[in-house]
Amino acid sequence: MAMFQGKPRESWGEYLANLPAFFIRSIFRHNYPNNDVDRSEVVFKNFFLHFHPVKCHKHSLDPFYTLGLGAITTSLFLLLAFTGVILMFYYIPTEDRAYEIMKDWQNTTPFAMMYRNMHRWSAHMMVLFVFLHMSRVFYTGSYKGTRRFNWVIGTILMVLTLVLSFTGYLLPWDQLAFWAITVGSNIAGYVPNLPGFEYNVNRVMLLASTNVGQDALIRFYVLHVAFLPLVTGTLIGVHFWRIRKDGGLSRPPDRIRPDPLRVVQRSDTKESFAPGVKRTYGLMELVRGTCPTVDKGPYNFVFTWPHLLRAEMVAFLLTLVLILSLSLIDAPLEEPANPSKPTNPSKAPWYFLGLQEMVAYNAFWGGVAIPMLMVLGLMSIPYLDRNPHGEGYWFHRSRYIAIFFYTLFMTWQGILIIIGTYFRGANWGWMWPWTENFARH
Amino acid sequence: MRGDRFQIALIVLGIAVVCLLSYFFYKELFPEYRIYQNDYIALEKFRSTYTHEPPPAFSPGVKQIVFEREDKGPASIDRCISCHVATQLPHFSPTKIAHDANGNIKRNADGTPVQEPNENYVWMKLEEKIIALTDPKVNEQLKEQKEWGELKTRHDEAENLKALKVANVDDQIYDVTKVLRMHPLIGKETRPFEFHPIDDYGCTMCHSGNGRGLTTEKAHGPVYDGQYEIEHAGPTPQFLEKDFNNDPDFARVFNHKPSDSLLFQTTPILVGNLIQSSCVQCHAQNGITGLKKSEEKLTNDSQVNSLTTNYQRGEELFISQACYACHRIAGVARGGIGPELTREGDTYPWFLKESIVWPQADLKTSTMPNFMLDHVELEDLMTYLLAQKGQSKAVSPIAYKLNIQEWEAGRKASWEKPIPPSDIHNIDYGMTVFATEGCASCHRLEGFESSVGYRIEREAKPTFEAIAQERAWFRNMFPEDLRGSTIVKILEENSKEIDLRIVDKARQEGLLDKIDAEYPGLIESFYSNFRYATRAKNKLYQLEMDNAITPKQKETITKEEAIWKERVHRILLAYIQEYGLGRLIGPRLNWSGVYRSDQWLMEHFRNPAGHVPRSIMPIFPFDDTKFYALTYMLDVVGKRNRDAVHALWQHEGFNPALAYEMHCAQCHGDHLQGNGPVATWIYPIPKNLRNTEFMRNLTKDKAIDSIIHGIKGTPMAPWGEAPKDKENYDGIPVLSHEEATKLVNWLYKTLPGASVENLPKYQYSAAQVVNELHQEGGSLGINQTKETIDDVFRVVPNPVKGERADLYYIKKEYYTPENIEQGQRFFALNCAYCHGTDADGSGLRASIMSDAKPRMLTNLDWLKTADDLKLLRSIKYGVLGTSMTPWGDFTNSLQRLQLVMYIRSLSFDKERRDQLTEALYQVFNEKNLQIEKSRIVGYASLNAAQKEYDQIEKERTNPSISDEEALALFAKQLKLKRQLDELKKEDQLLLSKYDAVDQEQTLYASAGNALLSAGVDDHIWELFLKIIQVSDQKEQVKKMVDEINGLLEQNIKSQEQERIATQGRLPSPVRDHELHAIDLKIASNKRLQTLLSNLGAKG
């Protein structure tokens, strides 16, 4: 009787024939994900995909719910990291070299201008999309319940994005950069000084000097390429991780709930932790959270591969197309920084023009107090909003007051930025965009 | 379904990404410089087809010249030769150097090689080839023979060759014949870069531009042929008429601001003559004298001289257009009003042009007038300004620093030095200064004469009537305000008549001829309309010249052109004699010397804004002696001009309309609406004489008064005055009282509703003021009893015969801090909106008022013309015809009185300052003037003796004369020498006396200023003024100084007592502060004492 004696040793011929598949399996450890098991495995076992869940709710894939804003923002961050590293290969952060290098490099090196444009446009777009993403989260009430703290992290990420953009603004070392940073750091200087310091310590801490110069340049450089990206990257990781732990993106409760009585207990421990059990595997049973039921497959859940990944891919490509098209417009490089020739008006980067506009009315309130209150106020929204309804719905009826005030706030900031950008001329005087504009030299 | 949608989106987006990336890839694959390099290779290949030599080796790619810096800073890199690959190849030059039969280079008189057409010019050969290939006859023949293949190859080849000539980059089309071209030869060069090897100098050192750029836009900045993208259609010189055919190239370049991507080139490329600004970086230094070596280089090297004519003219213009009076260039000019121009060469050329043609473009509040410079002047001036880069490469940093320090320490430029006394009473000298050192840039002055005149003058001595007739004809044909095209039209239509009536050499050579010979182009520089006319036919004659065949035709054309230019110049000279030399930016100075006293003129020269607030006239960096000369010149010329006007009145009777046109229209405008050519920069704006309300409110009497005595503190001149402090005073004013009356009648005649009613305002009396005060229960707070008129007002009889017999001033004792503070409060609340918080007439609403601006209430000269009653009246009833509304309903009498006191109190300090200046002038400057006058007499004999001495010296050293003669001459010379020495000693004595007076004046001035800033009381101040008056008498000075010192001592004593009292208080920061203040007061009083004791000792 023939006994199974294990797998027969393969011949050299067989071995060689199987070698490619073998090699690929050694890398991927699973087959092509065309069945449910492999679809699970591909997400579970792949380093790059593992921060996704194996399955996700169909609602999360609805492009008209999320608008893909978070994915686009992430894509922008990735693009920024990539193009930023390329720019770092050339850039020298010294006063007398920085501008020359920029000029030299973008005139002679292949694709240099493209990378620079992409970096610049991605940075601007990231600021924009962070705000859009935040608005989406607010309007869908997604910061409620367990997601409260993730909103706070998001706010911190927003501030980090602004600071990243701001620090990067100085690096070309042209007039635009120089005076924008001078204005920006002056705004920082409106924070009341600590008693006993001769110079405004806040400003000096930012610039490493009393004015924008070599010290400021190197400080901004390190902040821009090392410190802030690390912090931001880490916090982005935390942001994602918390989403997963909160059971995916926010969504309205399922209309047809699975019947808890039909749940068949399969756990080996024969224990149930709660009525209407929602259980899953391993340790997760011990922690509180929402998990899909297991018996017949979670209702409305689909595999991440290909559904979610495909959607993310679309978001990424959409971003790439947007950025590449914008890159047809060249990033400006004005005359070299000249501390003795202030531009008139000197304008901060556009996302700070709202601040600058407010500073024009009152330095302390506009430059320090109100922005501080704005950030703190945004952070405290989830803790102030006691309305339990509306999570997962765009513009839920019960939240009309919250929506009204949030919209009012954002519109106000938007108007300030538009005024600062288009309606302010020399000496910060009012100027219609279509009237004769006076020169900047 | 949803899955499909994602799938489709993925595919579409993927394709989009690939397309965009390939676009970027495409751009990288075909850089712009490769177009030119490929063209070059093709051209060389084409050339080898007829020279039968192999094309030279050429490896495509980026080419560059690198200059490492010693300090390891970023190297300077020029990549220009990546595109301009043929800069050194002779067969890329349309001309070549001519050789004579021996093979030597033919040279001009100045050593520049003669150039002739180059028969090896590649582009010419290419053109020939294209013509041969597209020859219709040959092609017809081929067609007949049905050689289709041959026909096609010929066509293709022609197309290929044609394509070499142009390059399409983005949406621009560039001319490759300009890119691939040999660098033109400069001066004496026989091959390109002979004197400036390109490997040592690179390209950007002369041409500027961004050497690192590899595309046209990046490297050149905008290409100034108007093809670049315009971001801001800027200020084309609007005042200049456009004449596309005849305007120089410079008229078109730099007029618009390039778009953002082109705007911020590190250093934009220099075009045309502007490159000269680079030459002087090494070869010469502008007025920065003291750089002996480079100066010598310039003067000796006629080559550089002849190549930098525009730059040198720009330097002259910087002086003659008065730029130096407002702008500072370290080492040259000390002006402090406008921006410093020491490093102006670092700015952008279009910014420079814009700033000159439209000074308010960048800074709205700029007070620089538009000088309406012509393109020619603009180009020269810009060349000069672009060369201002601070330290130049020719001088070592130490030499430069030393030079600047020397200059800052007071080394004087030629125009800043004192003039010899013989020039002080020299009218020609004064007028030359007027024309060449900046006055004419803003003021127009009649009285310049040239040899151009009317034909009748040449033939016989004409009568006054005849000349007047001719002049009337001229004025009729050429009104003062003429556009360039109008001049051309008039000259074309009436050339015969003009040539017949206005001729050259009609009289003796005049000053204008001299100036024209010595400073070519200077006179024209003030008249851009005549400049327009001069070149109006350039293109026409050029065309005719091109069409002309025989040398005789060419000669006639050249002659015609010369005649045209001479005619325009002749008319210009006649025009200047009729209307005056200079621009009409400031008032005409024709009669200033008559109605302004010498004192006023001198003070005005020294501080133009002193008597005319907000005057934009800068303080010219002249020595006092030069101001004397100018004053004297204005006196004499003024009298001449006045006599000319009077002669006209005598001849045909006083004509108010003509008088208005001559005297008033410059400010009040041809149509009496207050908008004359001069009005732009005048403060306050000239009155609109068609404003019926205002004129009626003014009344005829007051109007006559204003014309006769002028309005003090404004540019309105006292037309009927003739100050006595003149050299040859004759007491005849420009306008007599009678004439002024006629003028005013004429003015009021055409006003609608001509009858002048007596407004209630004029019945407002001091009694009413006091009555109102009583009725309203107000009190000025000193006497608790009710004030009478005599209590409140100081009554002074009116020195000017006018409407009122007495002037009323509020008594000084009512100027209590409380009253003034109340006045200030009311002012800040109600008046500051128009009159400004500082009462200087610049309130928020001021800018929108058009007919009359709010008064500058700190203008002391004006304030002195009104007594307090008049001010009260204007507040209560307002000023009709202006925005000053009646405040009677909103104020009570007390408030009005307090307001007046507040307004007066603002000028206390200024009043004292004026008193000081006046006293100092009357005592010391008059003295100095006397010394100068006596010097003039001595100097004349000194000059004569010196001349004689030199003459004898010349004769004596002549080798042909005998010994005895020489001995006799020597004896004579010796005698003369002694005489000379004596004269020189005398002059020296006077000079030292002059200096002594100067020193004394400084002493008194500093003492006066110290007293001013200490804010001493009236008594001490009046005493001090008296001291100045009696500064000659030592005893009296001493006595009075002692008196003042005694008063100061009293002050100190009382302050010390106060100190003791304060010290006794409980220690607190407030007490310490007060103690400190008292200490300071005591110290300042003590300092005053020592200062004054010095005076006493000196006096």
Side-chain angles (χ1 to χ4, degrees), chain B residues 788-961:
Chain B
T788 60
I789 298 178
D790 289 335
D791 273 350
V792 178
F793 291 108
R794 187 160 54 90
V795 187
V796 182
N798 194 348
V800 181
K801 271 180 212 156
E803 3 140 10
R804 280 175 305 130
D806 292 325
L807 300 178
Y808 294 84
Y809 292 99
I810 301 171
K811 282 193 171 160
K812 268 275 155 72
E813 58 251 40
Y814 291 104
Y815 283 76
T816 55
E818 294 80 40
N819 278 338
I820 291 175
E821 199 187 324
Q822 283 300 327
Q824 187 202 358
R825 261 192 218 157
F826 189 85
F827 187 88
L829 215 58
N830 296 302
C831 317
Y833 193 37
C834 298
H835 287 281
T837 36
D838 299 330
D840 58 352
S842 60
L844 281 171
R845 274 194 70 202
S847 58
I848 55 158
M849 294 184 187
S850 56
D851 246 17
K853 297 269 178 195
R855 277 278 175 212
M856 182 179 183
L857 297 171
T858 49
N859 178 354
L860 186 61
D861 280 5
W862 174 79
L863 202 59
K864 272 187 188 163
T865 61
D867 68 335
D868 288 348
L869 191 59
K870 188 183 162 194
L871 292 180
L872 287 169
R873 206 167 76 178
S874 293
I875 297 172
K876 186 171 181 189
Y877 293 104
V879 182
L880 278 179
T882 74
S883 304
M884 180 74 188
T885 46
W887 283 87
D889 292 349
F890 309 101
T891 54
N892 57 38
S893 190
L894 179 66
Q895 279 169 328
R896 289 194 287 272
L897 284 164
Q898 283 166 338
L899 261 181
V900 168
M901 279 190 272
Y902 168 66
I903 291 166
R904 291 257 183 229
S905 73
L906 289 172
S907 314
F908 281 166
D909 210 36
K910 173 87 165 60
E911 195 168 0
R912 284 189 175 179
R913 212 169 279 281
D914 282 358
Q915 283 169 350
L916 181 67
T917 326
E918 195 173 334
L920 287 174
Y921 179 86
Q922 271 167 4
V923 175
F924 299 105
N925 282 60
E926 296 278 351
K927 244 187 237 172
N928 269 349
L929 211 58
Q930 290 311 317
I931 296 172
E932 275 300 333
K933 273 178 196 159
S934 41
R935 265 188 85 201
I936 293 169
V937 181
Y939 207 81
S941 44
L942 194 145
N943 254 358
Q946 183 73 43
K947 238 181 215 166
E948 205 182 337
Y949 181 85
D950 291 346
Q951 181 63 31
I952 297 172
E953 173 85 17
K954 222 181 194 175
E955 280 174 34
R956 192 172 62 81
T957 46
N958 194 349
S960 61
I961 58 164

Side-chain angles (χ1 to χ4, degrees), chain B residues 193-252:
Chain B
F193 313 118
E194 186 178 2
F195 302 135
H196 303 87
I198 192 166
D199 292 332
D200 298 348
Y201 288 87
C203 309
T204 50
M205 196 171 280
C206 298
H207 290 272
S208 268
N210 183 7
R212 291 161 184 260
L214 270 175
T215 60
T216 311
E217 290 198 338
K218 289 264 160 59
H220 290 213
V223 179
Y224 292 102
D225 49 8
Q227 272 195 24
Y228 56 91
E229 196 189 328
I230 293 166
E231 181 196 55
H232 173 57
T236 31
Q238 294 280 327
F239 47 91
L240 293 180
E241 283 173 82
K242 280 181 197 150
D243 187 355
F244 284 114
N245 285 332
N246 300 305
D247 278 345
D249 292 340
F250 197 75
R252 281 179 285 284

Side-chain angles (χ1 to χ4, degrees), chain A residues 97 104 107 111 335 438-439, chain B residues 72 79 212 218 257 361:
Chain A
R97 292 257 179 179
D104 204 10
N107 282 344
F111 299 107
E335 56 205 293
F438 285 96
Chain B
K72 310 268 184 212
R79 303 201 173 100
R212 291 161 184 260
K218 289 264 160 59
K257 199 153 293 161

Side-chain angles (χ1 to χ4, degrees), chain B residues 829-1097:
Chain B
L829 215 58
N830 296 302
C831 317
Y833 193 37
C834 298
H835 287 281
T837 36
D838 299 330
D840 58 352
S842 60
L844 281 171
R845 274 194 70 202
S847 58
I848 55 158
M849 294 184 187
S850 56
D851 246 17
K853 297 269 178 195
R855 277 278 175 212
M856 182 179 183
L857 297 171
T858 49
N859 178 354
L860 186 61
D861 280 5
W862 174 79
L863 202 59
K864 272 187 188 163
T865 61
D867 68 335
D868 288 348
L869 191 59
K870 188 183 162 194
L871 292 180
L872 287 169
R873 206 167 76 178
S874 293
I875 297 172
K876 186 171 181 189
Y877 293 104
V879 182
L880 278 179
T882 74
S883 304
M884 180 74 188
T885 46
W887 283 87
D889 292 349
F890 309 101
T891 54
N892 57 38
S893 190
L894 179 66
Q895 279 169 328
R896 289 194 287 272
L897 284 164
Q898 283 166 338
L899 261 181
V900 168
M901 279 190 272
Y902 168 66
I903 291 166
R904 291 257 183 229
S905 73
L906 289 172
S907 314
F908 281 166
D909 210 36
K910 173 87 165 60
E911 195 168 0
R912 284 189 175 179
R913 212 169 279 281
D914 282 358
Q915 283 169 350
L916 181 67
T917 326
E918 195 173 334
L920 287 174
Y921 179 86
Q922 271 167 4
V923 175
F924 299 105
N925 282 60
E926 296 278 351
K927 244 187 237 172
N928 269 349
L929 211 58
Q930 290 311 317
I931 296 172
E932 275 300 333
K933 273 178 196 159
S934 41
R935 265 188 85 201
I936 293 169
V937 181
Y939 207 81
S941 44
L942 194 145
N943 254 358
Q946 183 73 43
K947 238 181 215 166
E948 205 182 337
Y949 181 85
D950 291 346
Q951 181 63 31
I952 297 172
E953 173 85 17
K954 222 181 194 175
E955 280 174 34
R956 192 172 62 81
T957 46
N958 194 349
S960 61
I961 58 164
S962 67
D963 285 355
E964 285 117 63
E965 271 176 321
L967 209 65
L969 281 172
F970 191 71
K972 212 170 171 188
Q973 211 179 359
L974 218 61
K975 205 172 130 197
L976 258 176
K977 173 92 183 148
R978 230 170 280 139
Q979 203 183 331
L980 249 176
D981 282 349
E982 213 146 284
L983 280 168
K984 267 187 192 160
K985 218 186 274 168
E986 261 172 47
D987 193 52
Q988 211 55 49
L989 205 72
L990 282 170
L991 212 61
S992 62
K993 206 169 169 200
Y994 186 95
D995 286 344
V997 173
D998 249 7
Q999 269 174 14
E1000 208 181 343
Q1001 181 183 7
T1002 330
L1003 206 68
Y1004 277 98
S1006 64
N1009 283 326
L1011 283 170
L1012 255 174
S1013 50
V1016 291
D1017 42 25
D1018 282 347
H1019 188 54
I1020 296 182
W1021 181 251
E1022 272 155 29
L1023 265 173
F1024 179 74
L1025 289 181
K1026 266 180 206 154
I1027 293 181
I1028 297 179
Q1029 303 293 344
V1030 297
S1031 61
D1032 279 345
Q1033 290 127 318
K1034 209 173 173 183
E1035 286 304 305
Q1036 251 180 312
V1037 170
K1038 206 163 188 183
K1039 215 173 89 194
M1040 288 160 94
V1041 165
D1042 286 345
E1043 196 179 332
I1044 294 185
N1045 275 352
L1047 286 170
L1048 287 174
E1049 195 62 47
Q1050 277 177 15
N1051 280 354
I1052 292 174
K1053 258 189 201 143
S1054 68
Q1055 276 155 1
E1056 264 164 1
Q1057 273 171 357
E1058 204 183 327
R1059 189 173 196 282
I1060 292 166
T1062 318
Q1063 235 169 359
R1065 274 162 42 190
L1066 279 175
S1068 73
V1070 179
R1071 189 199 70 150
D1072 291 349
H1073 189 78
E1074 277 174 24
L1075 272 181
H1076 186 65
I1078 295 172
D1079 282 346
L1080 280 180
K1081 262 188 204 164
I1082 293 174
S1084 95
N1085 271 333
K1086 282 189 174 157
R1087 220 176 310 124
L1088 279 179
Q1089 274 185 331
T1090 39
L1091 209 72
L1092 287 166
S1093 318
N1094 280 345
L1095 272 190

